């Protein structure tokens, strides 16, 4: 395959080296962006009088045809080409001859690959945004149905205090809202146009970088030509945002996996999102949740690969930078695929309110409220805490819940206990009284839902 750079060489590239050097199998997914970038570039060249309008028209028409044929499969990508940029240019020149060869005036593959990647990742960031919004909407929908559903909240994976299932779900919704913010912020830095930096130094042609940038919908240009072709911060940044998304997903998926176990039984996953075992007929496995948890490692790995590849690279372009795409594409693909199954898995799972309630009733999770009860009757909190500890130990020995103790039993621990203790220790009361801002009381949860809905309306 003739190289774009064949001029100064006497013999062809060794075939193993050619394979090793080639990136077309990875970057061919950016063919639309490559063509879009070229179209804007040639429009700018014509507007600046660097090519004629007739030449630009011919190039634009042919690029349009190439794009349409690639879209519908009439034209197949030739994987013998070094990269997608070479393939598009070769096809263009094969079709319109010398005019096609003018496209690359005042441009290098170094600024070309950077613009392609930015355009592609901008589109991917928008897809991720849509997927995250869907997930947050699903969590909010579930939360709305469960503002009164009592769940033991955990610390140290030990039952701690009664909260609503909604409150737990909204904790995740908040994580994903922060991810949306991070994504939007990262998009600001993606959305800068490197075209016109050429190889590294800029160009002697009288180009108009701002025009190219605005034709492509960028917010502005990359200000320094050396930086424009060397900068991969926006790639590492997206990979980091993805790493946090994947970590949040992994935590939620771990909880779902626990909740779906026979030990918890808080949820039952739908058959659509469960798998069986080839040997154990009774099994209903949460494979999708487990994979969502497991994929996080790859997304971290992609970030690590990128940061390590960039470390110590001298300016400006170095071929190491070609490695950026495989890592960031894997990161984006993995996050999109995971978000794509997570939302419907949550949407179709059955919430077993009865089991959540049973676990809440059985865990002495109203003990803090018992101490508060005594403290509100005048006992210093530390003493109230101690007495309640002894009361819980007694109840455990007796195999009773706090609600199951008689008033006489209570009063052997403190004369401050009165009949109103049962109401005070009722799980629903305990949950509803936690009405500080952001707390688990249903009214506060509804307030949170309203605030989230302001962020996610269409
Ligand atoms: N395939 C290359 C990449 O992804 C395109 C840029 C090539 N530039 C060069 N000077 N070899 O980075």
């Amino acid at each position: 395959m003739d190289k774009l750079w064949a001029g100064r060489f006497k013999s062809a590239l060794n075939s193993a080296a050619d394979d090793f050097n080639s990136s077309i199998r990875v970057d061919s997914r950016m063919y639309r962006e490559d063509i879009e970038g070229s179209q804007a570039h040639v429009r700018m060249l014509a507007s600046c009088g660097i090519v004629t309008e007739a030449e630009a028209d011919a190039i634009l028409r042919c690029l349009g045809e190439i794009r349409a044929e690639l879209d519908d499969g009439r034209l197949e990508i030739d994987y013998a080409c070094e990269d997608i940029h070479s393939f598009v240019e070769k096809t263009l020149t094969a079709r319109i001859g010398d005019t096609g060869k003018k496209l690359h005036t005042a441009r290098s593959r170094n600024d070309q690959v950077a613009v392609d990647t930015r355009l592609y990742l901008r589109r991917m960031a928008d897809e991720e945004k849509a997927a995250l919004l869907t997930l947050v909407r699903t969590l909010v929908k579930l939360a709305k149905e469960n503002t009164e559903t009592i769940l033991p909240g955990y610390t140290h994976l030990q039952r701690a205090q009664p909260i609503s299932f909604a409150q737990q779900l909204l904790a995740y919704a908040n994580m994903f809202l922060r991810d949306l913010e991070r994504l939007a912020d990262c998009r600001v830095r993606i959305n800068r146009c490197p075209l016109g930096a050429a190889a590294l130094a800029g160009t002697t042609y009288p180009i108009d970088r701002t025009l190219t940038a605005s034709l492509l919908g960028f917010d502005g240009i990359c200000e320094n030509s050396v930086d424009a072709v060397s900068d991969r911060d926006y790639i590492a940044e997206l990979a980091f945002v993805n790493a946090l998304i994947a970590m949040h997903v992994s935590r939620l998926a771990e909880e779902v996996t626990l909740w779906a176990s026979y030990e918890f039984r808080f949820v039952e996953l739908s058959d659509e999102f469960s798998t069986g075992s080839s040997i154990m007929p009774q099994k209903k496995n949460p494979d999708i949740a487990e994979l969502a948890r497991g994929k996080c490692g790859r997304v971290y790995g992609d970030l690590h690969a990128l940061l390590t590849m960039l470390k110590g690279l001298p300016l400006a372009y170095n071929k190491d930078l070609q490695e950026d795409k495989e890592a960031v594409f894997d990161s984006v693909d993995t996050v999109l695929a995971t978000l794509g199954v997570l939302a419907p898995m949550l949407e179709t799972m059955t919430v077993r309110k009865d089991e959540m309630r049973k676990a809440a009733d059985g865990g002495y999770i109203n003990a803090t409220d018992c101490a508060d009860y005594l403290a509100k009757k005048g006992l210093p909190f530390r003493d109230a805490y101690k007495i309640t500890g002894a009361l819980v130990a007694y109840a455990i020995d007796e195999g009773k819940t706090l609600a199951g103790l008689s008033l006489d039993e209570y009063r052997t621990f403190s004369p401050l206990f009165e009949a109103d203790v049962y109401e005070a220790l009722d799980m629903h009361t305990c949950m509803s009284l936690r009405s500080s801002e952001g707390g688990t009381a249903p009214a506060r949860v509804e307030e949170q839902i309203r605030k989230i809905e302001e962020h996610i309306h269409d």
Side-chain angles (χ1 to χ4, degrees):
M1 176 61 50
D2 278 353
K3 298 294 182 198
L4 292 172
W5 38 264
R8 83 168 307 288
F9 292 85
K10 294 203 178 67
S11 62
L13 187 59
N14 167 287
S15 84
D18 197 8
D19 281 348
F20 187 66
N21 190 48
S22 159
S23 60
I24 193 162
R25 289 198 183 273
V26 174
D27 59 33
S28 60
R29 64 160 79 192
M30 304 194 298
Y31 77 84
R32 287 187 195 90
E33 287 75 15
D34 192 70
I35 291 172
E36 243 177 77
S38 291
Q39 287 170 327
H41 178 65
V42 79
R43 278 202 182 100
M44 181 279 290
L45 290 179
S47 143
C48 296
I50 300 166
V51 298
T52 65
E53 290 293 342
E55 287 166 338
D57 285 347
I59 292 173
L60 285 171
R61 197 170 328 112
C62 186
L63 284 172
E65 284 163 16
I66 294 172
R67 152 111 203 223
E69 290 173 35
L70 284 170
D71 277 349
D72 65 21
R74 271 176 296 153
L75 176 63
E76 276 180 24
I77 286 171
D78 178 1
Y79 290 103
C81 290
E82 186 177 323
D83 50 31
I84 191 60
H85 331 295
S86 314
F87 170 74
V88 173
E89 195 177 327
K90 187 199 81 171
T91 312
L92 176 75
T93 344
R95 292 186 182 188
I96 60 168
D98 285 350
T99 309
K101 294 184 192 162
K102 296 198 173 181
L103 169 62
H104 210 55
T105 312
R107 188 176 72 170
S108 152
R109 275 186 299 161
N110 296 349
D111 56 346
Q112 188 179 358
V113 71
V115 83
D116 291 10
T117 311
R118 284 174 183 268
L119 289 171
Y120 183 81
L121 293 182
R122 187 176 72 182
R123 185 153 65 86
M124 291 303 108
D126 292 342
E127 283 191 22
E128 287 189 13
K129 175 184 173 182
L132 281 171
L133 279 172
T134 303
L135 178 59
V136 173
R137 290 194 183 109
T138 304
L139 288 166
V140 166
K141 180 169 174 274
L142 265 177
K144 278 180 163 173
E145 295 161 7
N146 288 286
T147 55
E148 304 278 349
T149 307
I150 292 170
L151 172 87
Y154 290 81
T155 64
H156 310 270
L157 206 57
Q158 304 285 325
R159 281 173 256 183
Q161 288 179 344
I163 61 173
S164 69
F165 187 43
Q167 177 77 345
Q168 182 91 350
L169 293 167
L170 292 182
Y172 286 105
N174 275 282
M175 296 175 215
F176 295 122
L177 283 178
R178 291 196 295 276
D179 291 332
L180 277 163
E181 272 176 30
R182 268 185 284 269
L183 202 54
D185 196 43
C186 168
R187 195 187 188 284
V188 171
R189 277 174 290 283
I190 293 176
N191 209 26
R192 290 258 155 188
C193 190
L195 269 185
L200 77 163
T203 174
T204 55
Y205 292 93
I207 59 169
D208 180 351
R209 292 192 61 199
T210 307
L211 174 61
T212 324
S214 75
L215 287 172
L216 291 168
F218 285 113
D219 296 330
I221 61 167
C222 303
E223 296 290 346
N224 175 288
S225 63
V226 173
D227 184 42
V229 292
S230 318
D231 174 24
R232 296 293 183 272
D233 293 4
Y234 60 99
I235 296 183
E237 206 175 332
L238 182 60
F240 170 71
V241 173
N242 283 349
L244 281 197
I245 295 172
M247 179 268 283
H248 294 148
V249 165
S250 186
R251 294 180 76 169
L252 174 54
E254 162 67 3
E255 296 229 69
V256 170
T257 305
L258 283 174
W259 294 340
S261 73
Y262 195 75
E263 283 66 21
F264 279 80
R265 285 189 290 178
F266 289 177
V267 300
E268 178 163 353
L269 293 172
S270 70
D271 287 359
E272 274 181 279
F273 289 91
S274 311
T275 55
S277 153
S278 58
I279 177 173
M280 297 166 284
Q282 85 284 9
K283 291 290 285 284
K284 183 169 177 185
N285 293 329
D287 289 33
I288 307 303
E290 293 167 79
L291 262 180
R293 184 179 60 192
K295 295 271 185 198
C296 182
R298 295 173 52 149
V299 181
Y300 285 2
D302 293 327
L303 173 63
H304 202 141
L306 282 162
L307 290 173
T308 310
M309 178 272 285
L310 289 167
K311 174 192 167 300
L313 270 193
L315 300 178
Y317 180 85
N318 299 273
K319 195 61 178 245
D320 317 45
L321 292 173
Q322 177 167 287
E323 286 290 307
D324 61 356
K325 284 171 285 301
E326 205 166 340
V328 77
F329 292 169
D330 183 65
S331 164
V332 167
D333 290 349
T334 308
V335 163
L336 281 173
T338 309
L339 293 174
V341 289
L342 192 65
M345 181 185 80
L346 294 172
E347 183 126 35
T348 56
M349 79 187 180
T350 308
V351 177
R352 305 193 59 180
K353 301 183 184 186
D354 50 336
E355 294 292 340
M356 290 181 183
R357 182 58 201 253
K358 236 190 263 171
D361 285 340
Y364 302 98
I365 60 178
N366 45 2
T368 315
D369 302 86
C370 185
D372 285 343
Y373 171 90
L374 291 175
K376 280 176 193 161
K377 298 224 168 190
L379 212 58
F381 182 77
R382 269 294 147 237
D383 296 337
Y385 174 95
K386 233 185 185 161
I387 289 173
T388 307
L391 184 74
V392 169
Y394 169 81
I396 292 173
D397 286 346
E398 295 293 304
K400 294 179 178 172
T401 64
L402 291 186
L405 297 176
S406 69
L407 190 54
D408 286 343
E409 287 174 300
Y410 273 110
R411 293 179 74 87
T412 57
F413 290 87
S414 166
L416 291 173
F417 282 118
E418 289 169 272
D420 61 354
V421 68
Y422 296 103
E423 168 58 16
L425 298 192
D426 173 76
M427 287 298 166
H428 195 267
T429 311
C430 298
M431 179 185 76
S432 304
L433 286 179
R434 291 204 160 72
S435 58
S436 49
E437 263 181 288
T440 190
R444 288 303 195 178
V445 168
E446 270 149 28
E447 202 170 80
Q448 294 178 49
I449 291 174
R450 278 196 298 280
K451 281 190 188 159
I452 294 175
E453 282 181 329
E454 281 166 25
H455 289 287
I456 59 170
H457 62 71
D458 322 86

